[in-house]
């Protein structure tokens, strides 16, 4: 791993940016939650993937690992929306307790056994020693991890039926190796479901910001240019089989009519939030060169929807990796 501000130092980069835009992000995410597109698309994909395999055919509960769990809203939609029977929910995120103080309280309300780790995930990740982690039970008791799984040594492999990696691989140095590590944690028949952006505006904006910023910008930010094609190339190089599809419904587009009409000077709130996050810089702090460069990217990518509005794609790619026994 390179010694720079990557996933392990996420607080240093992400927290100040989020706090700086707190009101903007709050309103924007409320809008997106209302539309349900962000969550319902992923919820449906998880259900389809589980139904295609054998994981829902038995009456057994699932052991779920969520890497980069965020505030837990997506996982809640996946678990509750699909009415999944869960024996264990294990969340890993380096900013859980500081960034989402309500996360644990939210998970408690799901009434499932859970483990929460405030920790980064990479190819070097290992489950904690079995005597150093506990499972929080429905009845309020806390049980040792090893007791929960029985007497086997579960410090290494084959624990989980489902691993969720949503919009987090651009925070690690080597996505392919991170997926390989996650794969080693799957039970036979288990699956990894990766949600990631396609090579659309989001990816291009960050690449452009790197090109037009001092070298320290790239050193202090994560690789937000990463898209599904980059991940697939690494998996191909490592000979890890996968399936891939893109959800390109027009509902996953930003309305950029106002933005284009203003020649890139006045993005609507939701699109502004997207641009600021990808650029890792407030829109008002962009140089005029950067504003015009991003405007040209959006203009080239935009198209008119059925209502005659100019929209910019923000499509979702899904990559599914099965356990090593499954091909």
């Amino acid at each position: 791993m390179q010694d720079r501000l990557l996933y392990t130092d996420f607080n240093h980069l992400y927290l100040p940016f989020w706090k700086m835009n707190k009101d903007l992000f709050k309103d924007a995410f409320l809008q997106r939650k209302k539309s349900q597109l962000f969550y319902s698309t992923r919820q449906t994909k998880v259900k389809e993937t589980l139904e295609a395999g054998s994981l829902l055919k038995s009456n057994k509960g699932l052991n779920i690992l969520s890497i980069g769990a965020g505030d837990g809203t997506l996982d809640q939609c996946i678990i509750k929306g699909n009415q999944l029977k869960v024996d264990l929910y294990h969340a890993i995120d380096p900013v859980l307790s500081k960034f989402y103080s309500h996360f644990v309280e939210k998970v408690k309300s799901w009434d499932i056994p859970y483990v929460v780790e405030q920790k980064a995930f990479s190819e070097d990740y290992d489950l904690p020693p079995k005597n150093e982690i506990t499972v929080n039970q429905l009845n309020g008791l806390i049980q040792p991890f090893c007791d929960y799984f029985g007497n086997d040594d579960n410090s290494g492999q084959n624990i989980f039926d489902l691993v969720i990696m949503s919009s987090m691989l651009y925070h690690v140095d080597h996505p392919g190796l991170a997926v390989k590590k996650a794969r080693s944690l799957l039970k036979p028949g288990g699956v990894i479901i990766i949600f990631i952006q396609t090579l659309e505006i989001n990816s291009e904006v960050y690449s452009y910001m790197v090109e037009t910023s001092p070298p320290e910008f790239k050193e202090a930010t994560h690789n937000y240019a990463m898209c599904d094609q980059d991940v697939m190339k690494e998996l191909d190089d490592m000979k890890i089989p996968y399936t891939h599809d893109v959800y390109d419904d027009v509902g996953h587009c930003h309305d950029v009519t106002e933005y284009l009409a203003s020649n890139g000077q006045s993005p609507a709130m939701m699109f502004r939030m997207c641009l600021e996050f990808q650029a890792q810089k407030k829109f008002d702090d962009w140089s005029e060169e950067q504003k015009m460069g991003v405007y040209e990217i959006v203009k080239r990518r935009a198209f008119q929807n059925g209502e005659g509005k100019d929209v910019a794609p923000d499509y979702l790619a899904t990559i599914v990796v099965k356990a090593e026994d499954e091909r």
Side-chain angles (χ1 to χ4, degrees), residues 123 174-183 230-242 321 324 327:
E123 66 268 27
H174 307 293
L177 293 176
V179 173
K180 181 180 179 180
K181 168 57 70 171
R183 195 182 188 208
D230 300 311
V231 175
M232 290 191 293
K233 183 180 184 306
E234 292 207 17
L235 296 180
D236 287 337
D237 290 344
M238 299 177 67
K239 301 188 184 309
I240 296 177
Y242 60 86
V321 177
E324 293 191 40
R327 302 294 179 186

Side-chain angles (χ1 to χ4, degrees), residues 85-210:
K85 182 179 179 181
V86 179
D87 281 349
L88 175 69
Y89 170 75
H90 188 146
I92 301 174
D93 198 308
V95 296
L96 277 173
S97 64
K98 293 182 179 179
F99 187 44
Y100 297 108
S101 59
H102 66 287
F103 178 81
V104 172
E105 291 303 316
K106 178 183 287 188
V107 176
K108 285 180 180 178
S109 71
W110 302 350
D111 291 333
I112 56 176
Y114 67 90
V115 172
V116 175
E117 278 191 279
Q118 186 187 356
K119 187 175 182 178
F121 188 88
S122 71
E123 66 268 27
D124 300 319
Y125 173 82
D126 283 311
L127 286 170
K130 59 183 181 179
N131 61 340
E132 293 184 12
I133 192 168
T134 56
V135 175
N136 297 272
Q137 301 282 38
L138 305 186
N139 57 10
L141 298 177
I142 296 179
Q143 237 177 315
F145 195 68
C146 56
D147 291 347
Y148 189 78
F149 282 105
N151 296 321
D152 295 333
D153 181 1
N154 293 303
S155 60
Q157 315 294 316
N158 309 122
I159 299 297
F160 300 101
D161 301 288
L162 170 64
V163 175
I164 303 167
M165 306 177 84
S166 180
S167 301
M168 56 73 60
L169 283 176
Y170 39 61
H171 300 309
V172 300
D173 266 330
H174 307 293
L177 293 176
V179 173
K180 181 180 179 180
K181 168 57 70 171
R183 195 182 188 208
S184 74
L185 301 175
L186 289 175
K187 290 180 180 179
V191 294
I192 301 170
I193 301 181
I194 301 165
F195 297 116
I196 191 169
Q197 65 188 4
T198 60
L199 183 58
E200 300 292 349
I201 290 172
N202 290 350
S203 183
E204 287 193 65
V205 166
Y206 178 77
S207 295
Y208 180 74
M209 282 294 169
V210 170

